[in-house]
Every structure is written in structure tokens, then in C-alpha cells.
Amino acid sequence: MDESAISARNLVKKFGDLIAVNRVSFDVKKGEIFGFLGPNGAGKTTTINILVTVMKPTGGEAFVAGHNVIKEPIKVREKIGVVFQDNTADRYLTGWENLYIHGLIYGLKGDELKMRIEDALEFAELTKFKSVPVKNYSGGMMRRLEIARALMHSPEVLFLDEPTIGLDPQTRARIWEYIRMLRKEENVTIFMTTHYMDEAEKLCDKVAIIDHGKIMAMGSPEDLKNSLGGDMLYVKVNNPMDEIKEFAEEIVRERIALSYRLVGDMVAFSVRYASKAIPPVFELANTFDIKVEEIKYTQPSLGDVFLHYTGRELRDEEGNWKDLIRMRRAARARMRR
Amino acid sequence: MNEGGILLAMTYRQLKRYFRAKSRLIGTIVNPLIFFLFLGMGWSFSLGGGLSKQLFGGIDYLAFLAPGITVMTIFTSSLVGGISVIWDKEFGFLKEVLVAPASRTYAIIGRAFGDSLTSVLQGAIVLCMMYLLVPGLKLEGSLPALALGLVTALSFNGLGIAIASKMRSPEGFQLIMSLITLPLIFLSGAFYPIDRLPSAAKIIFYMNPLTFAVDSTRYFLTGVNSIPLIADISALIILCIGFITVSVRIFERSTIE
């Protein structure tokens, strides 16, 4: 277990009838940035809550920084820093005061504490704003303060739950830069969750795609994309469903594409080289009397990977909302008991 | 585990928050003063000097009321402070404490202690006004009164935390405040003496912890009381330990998932 900063084995968390986390297992190497990619309600936050010891799993076990999260929660807490999805800084206190409280809670004191506060402020680029109440901070400033705060006691593992949710694109880019810098300078292992594909792709060494509480695929963004076999070719057609299916199956049978999926009125083919696949696809479309309205291809993104392994798009918000509401309800019902 | 650190951190936080929220400071002082001026002055003039002295153990009604108003200030502010832990739950500050390698028991005691200090400070401000408005209050009684005020504040802060830990959302906040504060204040002997009540009614008063706080404060400030001082003090200390213990237990249980 020496090599792993985090190791989870068959984690299960149930809220009533709902299984929020379903036999999840993974390992995070020391110094790695590991990402959980999935829609809202997929079980990402529940997994983090278990790993940071604020929730007990229904089954399975997990080790963080070498300690069992169920049996040695205090030891785990000593070695982790956590940035939750919602702001947990005290809005009425200043940046400096929030850091001061955090330091005291983690047993820092005297000059050492004062020094670390100044370092954290500098790292977060908030030295100028240290005497301003946090409620006047922008979203980006708040996030930077929280990340710097979580690092103040030099944790071995840093947990970031949706670090850029609700931020504008510019601020998001800045936070990414910040996370990359921190990995370089602080030698800390990072476990993060996100529902942004670009975020997972740009930041993470390793990504686990999670949906409905289950890990559907895991690997480096590169490997995951390569696992699709090459480019993605999207063909927009205007035909009855059975004809489209017949056509798509024929293309796979002819080994023009490796696999296909229906996405709305598009057929998504995974092909080795899109440029070589386009002419035979047109030819077959002619033979099958398929009306091609549009054709485009992309290098596979993590979004395509997500689509491939879960059968739906990550932007599929409606279904996710239902999941989320279902989960909240179940959690509430459980608390009432 | 780091007990001293979290105790200090939580106390520091409550004090800082208090001094930053000036409207809260003014609000909790204005309310008791309204009671004092409109209820106290009215009765004081109606009863006149002689009748008043006969009814209230040899002192004027305003002198009788002053300790009650001081205790009321401390009580209301500490109960509100305790229940406000629900906002910490709602707005996430609590999570920061839950993932720290620190004692939750000391976290909640530190919070209660910080809040109680601010409640006593408010009590002290109101008490100063009482000294200005009511001639003849004993100046030397102020320190023991405020010391016992701290015990009172800790008790009701504990009660507030226990209530808040059982609440799932902050919506019931106002309702609970008026359901608890007003009856407890009216049944504490803050506004009228309990000596002449029928014994059945007295039992209700003796069951109210606030009665002992009002009675002992009145003794320190005026020399008049209806319960032996030692009984008042013992009751308050036992109560304080009880409420704080219960609040720590309930709070810890409410944060485990």
C-alpha cells in the first residue's frame, strides 16, 4: 500500500433504496492528480465524503495516506486537506481570520502560524485583500482562499470537490493553473471530482468515469481516448430508425468503423482515421438509400469516451436532475428516521 | 487530538462575528430596554412609592425589574447564539470542523463559550444602563451578577445548540424563539414576585431555570430574593453542566452520517 495515496475497495453507500456508490474500487498513486468525472448525482461527492471521513460507507473499505477511513478517521483527517463544493469559509470573517481559525484548529500556533498565514495569502494572491470580509470576495478569490487554506497544514492528500463549479471561464482557467502549480510545488496528491470534461482532460493524470454510482472506465485521458480506437465520425441522417440501424450495422460489419452509437438524429461511428472512412460511408449510404444531411468528425474527447461507456451525453442534464432529486429525497428520508 | 486549538479557534470566531454584526448588538439591547421603559415606568408610576415597596420586598418596582431585564438580555442573546449553529450547518462552516483532526466536543464548547462571553457583554451594557436609570442598585453586586450571568449564558447556549441540532432547516427558527423565550421570561419572576403565588403555580416557576438566574441577580443588585442564594447558584451550575453535556452529545450524534 506504500505506493498508493488513496486506495478504495468495493465502496458502497446506500441511502434507503438508492445506491449512491456501487462497489467502487480504485487506487491513486502518490503525487498523482486523479479525477472522478461524471454528471451530478453520479456519486462523486458521496465518494469524497466517505474518503474524508464525514460519511460512513455501507460496505467496502478505503485507505487514505495509509490509514483506514472507518477505523482511524482522526489519523486520516491529520493528513488531508479538503475543499468542498460549497463554500465553507466564514463569510463574515476576513481572509486572514479564516486562515487563522483554520491554523488553530490544526494545532498551529505562534510565529509558525502567522508565517503560514502569510504564505497562504501570498500563494492565493490575496495578500492585498487579507483584511476584507470574505463575503465581499469574488467566486475565484473565495476558491483560491479555500484551496490555500486546505494546504496550510501541509496535507499529503488534497480533495477538491468540483473546484471550478459556477466560475466564469477566465477564472476557471486561472484555478487550473493554480492547481497545476500546486502539484509542482507542494508535492501533494490530488483527488478531484468534476463534471467538466475539459477540466478532467487538462488537469488529471488519471480519470475514472463514474455514472449511477459505478466506475464505467478508468485510465489516463490519453488511454481512455485511444480506447475508442481513433476518431469519431458523426453522420446526421434523415431516415426511419430501422433503416439507420441496418446501415450502421453494415458499416461496422464492413469494418469501416469499429463501433457505432445512436445519438439523437446522429450516428456516431468510432473509426481509426475519419478521412479514410468518409468515402466508403458515403458509398454505403448511397446503396442503402440513406439521406446524409451532415457529416463531421472529431478527434475523440473525454466527452466521446463518456458517451461510449455510459450511452449518454454528459450534458444530459434532465436525467441528472431527476437522479439528484431522488438522491436528496432518499437522504432526507433516511435522516428523518 | 488538538483540544486547546479548536477551543480557542471557535471562541475567537464567535467573538469576531459578534463584533462585526453591529445590528445584532443593538437589536438585543433595544428589546429589553423597551420592556424596561414601557412596562417598568408604567407600573412604577401606577403603584407609587409606598405600595410598590410593600409588594416588592421594600424596593421600588424599577429596582425590582432591573435584574430581570439584565437576565432577560443574557438569556435571549445566548439562546439565539446557540440556535444559530443551524446556520453553520446550512452554510457549511461546520464541515471545515468535521474534516479536521480536532475534538468535536471542544469545538462546540468553544463555540458556546465565545457566544456566552458576548451575551454577558450585552448583559453588562444593559446593566450599566440600569445603574444610570435606577438609583440605589448595589454597585458591588455587578461582578457576581455577571459571573453568574456567564453560567446562565452557557446553559441556554447549550439548550439552543441542542434544539438546533434537532432542527433540519432554519425555517422554524422564529417560531421556536417565540415559543421558548417569551414563556420562559414570563414564568421566571422577572416581572412580578413569585412569593405570593399559590404553591401549585410556584412549582412551575421553580421548574424554570431562568427563575434561579433572576432571583440570584436580584439578590446581588438589591438584596431582595425569594430563594436561598446557595440554592440558586447550585441549581444554575447543575443546569449548566447538564445542558452543555446534552448539547455536546446531541451535536455529535447529529454530525455522524
Side-chain angles (χ1 to χ4, degrees):
Chain A
M1 212 142 299
D2 270 356
E3 280 296 296
S4 300
I6 304 173
S7 150
R9 290 284 163 271
N10 292 318
L11 279 185
V12 176
K13 180 69 185 180
K14 291 182 188 165
F15 296 107
D17 292 334
L18 182 89
I19 305 175
V21 174
N22 191 356
R23 298 178 70 82
V24 160
S25 300
F26 59 90
D27 286 286
V28 180
K29 283 201 203 102
K30 280 182 183 159
E32 203 170 48
I33 300 184
F34 186 96
F36 253 31
L37 174 68
N40 294 329
K44 293 173 296 182
T45 300
T46 307
T47 308
I48 278 209
N49 281 341
I50 292 170
L51 295 177
V52 303
T53 76
V54 297
M55 206 181 255
K56 287 210 162 73
T58 317
E61 58 178 3
F63 292 84
V64 173
H67 297 288
N68 189 309
V69 296
I70 306 157
K71 292 181 189 139
E72 315 165 278
I74 302 287
K75 291 232 167 85
V76 171
R77 287 178 206 152
E78 277 168 8
K79 295 190 168 169
I80 59 172
V82 188
V83 178
F84 288 103
Q85 192 170 327
D86 309 314
N87 290 319
T88 59
D90 191 311
R91 295 167 46 76
Y92 293 95
L93 301 188
T94 66
W96 193 92
E97 288 162 353
N98 267 294
L99 295 174
Y100 181 68
I101 287 175
H102 181 90
L104 285 178
I105 292 176
Y106 281 80
L108 299 168
K109 51 187 111 161
D111 289 340
E112 161 92 21
L113 172 56
K114 299 251 158 72
M115 210 181 70
R116 295 231 190 168
I117 294 174
E118 293 310 320
D119 287 350
L121 284 167
E122 198 179 314
F123 189 63
E125 296 168 42
L126 289 171
T127 310
K128 268 201 289 186
F129 306 96
K130 66 177 176 184
S131 307
V132 176
V134 167
K135 63 175 177 190
N136 299 325
Y137 280 20
S138 68
M141 287 161 81
M142 190 94 95
R143 273 281 117 142
R144 294 203 311 271
L145 178 75
E146 286 190 301
I147 296 175
R149 179 178 69 167
L151 289 168
M152 234 175 99
H153 54 280
S154 311
E156 287 179 26
V157 185
L158 179 66
F159 290 89
L160 303 170
D161 194 2
E162 295 276 6
T164 65
I165 197 165
L167 299 178
D168 61 76
Q170 242 178 324
T171 315
R172 290 182 64 209
R174 191 138 170 241
I175 297 281
W176 290 345
E177 220 171 275
Y178 189 68
I179 293 172
R180 268 190 226 114
M181 180 171 85
L182 165 174
R183 193 254 294 262
K184 225 184 281 166
E185 292 181 4
E186 305 280 322
N187 187 32
V188 61
T189 307
I190 298 174
F191 179 95
M192 59 179 280
T193 70
T194 182
H195 70 282
Y196 297 117
M197 285 162 303
D198 53 348
E199 187 160 289
E201 198 158 354
K202 285 191 174 123
L203 282 180
C204 298
D205 301 311
K206 207 168 167 191
V207 175
I209 288 177
I210 181 166
D211 194 27
H212 294 303
K214 268 191 166 161
I215 292 183
M216 315 298 282
M218 192 156 48
S220 72
E222 252 348 271
D223 288 348
L224 284 175
K225 284 186 281 184
N226 288 339
S227 73
L228 295 194
D231 298 345
M232 292 299 292
L233 183 66
Y234 296 91
V235 186
K236 189 174 176 184
V237 290
N238 188 1
N239 281 79
M241 192 51 83
D242 50 332
E243 288 181 33
I244 299 175
K245 270 192 182 155
E246 208 181 317
F247 160 68
E249 267 155 29
E250 181 61 23
I251 286 188
V252 174
R253 214 173 300 130
E254 290 284 316
R255 295 178 189 273
I256 299 165
L258 299 164
S259 65
Y260 81 94
R261 251 170 209 291
L262 297 173
V263 192
D265 56 355
M266 299 262 225
V267 195
F269 294 103
S270 119
V271 297
R272 257 190 230 299
Y273 300 103
S275 46
K276 284 193 181 162
I278 288 171
V281 166
F282 265 116
E283 231 167 80
L284 267 179
N286 258 335
T287 2
F288 277 75
D289 203 19
I290 294 281
K291 295 176 193 72
V292 177
E293 294 189 338
E294 193 184 322
I295 192 158
K296 64 177 179 186
Y297 74 93
T298 55
Q299 311 266 282
S301 67
L302 273 187
D304 300 314
V305 177
F306 189 86
L307 180 73
H308 179 85
Y309 285 104
T310 65
R312 60 191 180 125
E313 286 193 77
L314 198 46
R315 286 180 282 290
D316 184 11
E317 281 297 334
E318 200 196 345
N320 306 333
W321 268 112
K322 278 183 196 146
D323 287 349
L324 190 68
I325 290 164
R326 205 151 45 97
M327 198 164 114
R328 291 236 168 106
R329 250 185 229 146
R332 232 179 275 147
R334 202 189 125 268
M335 278 172 75
R336 238 174 256 141
R337 257 173 248 152
Chain B
M1 287 246 258
N2 159 35
E3 281 99 7
I6 185 127
L7 199 75
L8 188 60
M10 293 303 283
T11 305
Y12 174 86
R13 170 186 182 239
Q14 295 310 109
L15 291 176
K16 278 284 173 189
R17 274 176 76 98
Y18 175 77
F19 287 110
R20 206 141 290 157
K22 294 192 181 64
S23 62
R24 204 177 120 195
L25 193 150
I26 295 163
T28 30
I29 290 173
V30 166
N31 210 19
L33 277 182
I34 288 175
F35 266 91
F36 180 79
L37 291 175
F38 300 148
L39 187 76
M41 295 288 188
W43 276 115
S44 182
F45 285 120
S46 307
L47 294 168
L51 187 54
S52 166
K53 288 209 161 74
Q54 197 188 329
L55 279 172
F56 304 116
I59 53 170
D60 181 67
Y61 184 59
L62 288 181
F64 178 87
L65 190 61
I69 294 294
T70 311
V71 170
M72 177 182 163
T73 310
I74 295 177
F75 158 71
T76 317
S77 138
S78 58
L79 191 69
V80 171
I83 294 185
S84 72
V85 80
I86 195 150
W87 306 107
D88 286 353
K89 262 163 92 176
E90 190 78 359
F91 292 117
F93 177 79
L94 207 59
K95 276 189 167 177
E96 153 87 349
V97 175
L98 297 184
V99 294
S103 152
R104 289 172 195 189
T105 304
Y106 282 84
I108 210 63
I109 291 176
R111 195 185 188 283
F113 184 66
D115 263 353
S116 300
L117 285 181
T118 68
S119 301
V120 172
L121 178 71
Q122 266 176 234
I125 296 170
V126 168
L127 185 58
C128 285
M129 293 179 183
M130 295 296 120
Y131 279 118
L132 292 175
L133 293 168
V134 184
L137 290 180
K138 292 182 181 175
L139 206 55
E140 69 271 20
S142 60
L143 283 183
L146 291 177
L148 220 51
L150 183 62
V151 179
T152 308
L154 281 169
S155 314
F156 288 106
N157 200 270
L159 177 66
I161 291 167
I163 293 170
S165 304
K166 289 280 175 193
M167 285 163 70
R168 257 171 302 274
S169 74
E171 279 122 44
F173 184 82
Q174 276 307 327
L175 182 70
I176 284 188
M177 284 309 297
S178 32
L179 272 180
I180 292 177
T181 53
L182 288 178
L184 280 183
I185 288 169
F186 282 120
L187 294 175
S188 70
F191 300 127
Y192 44 87
I194 52 179
D195 309 274
R196 286 156 197 261
L197 295 172
S199 30
K202 269 189 189 167
I203 292 174
I204 299 175
F205 279 77
Y206 289 148
M207 278 163 55
N208 177 3
L210 211 52
T211 304
F212 304 104
V214 170
D215 191 66
S216 55
T217 309
R218 186 169 290 138
Y219 174 77
F220 290 131
L221 296 184
T222 66
V224 172
N225 63 342
S226 12
I227 305 165
L229 184 64
I230 186 76
D232 283 335
I233 296 177
S234 325
L236 281 176
I237 289 177
I238 291 170
L239 193 81
C240 177
I241 296 171
F243 273 163
I244 289 288
T245 313
V246 169
S247 71
V248 164
R249 289 259 171 82
I250 294 184
F251 174 78
E252 279 181 348
R253 217 172 305 146
S254 78
T255 51
I256 297 168
E257 271 192 82

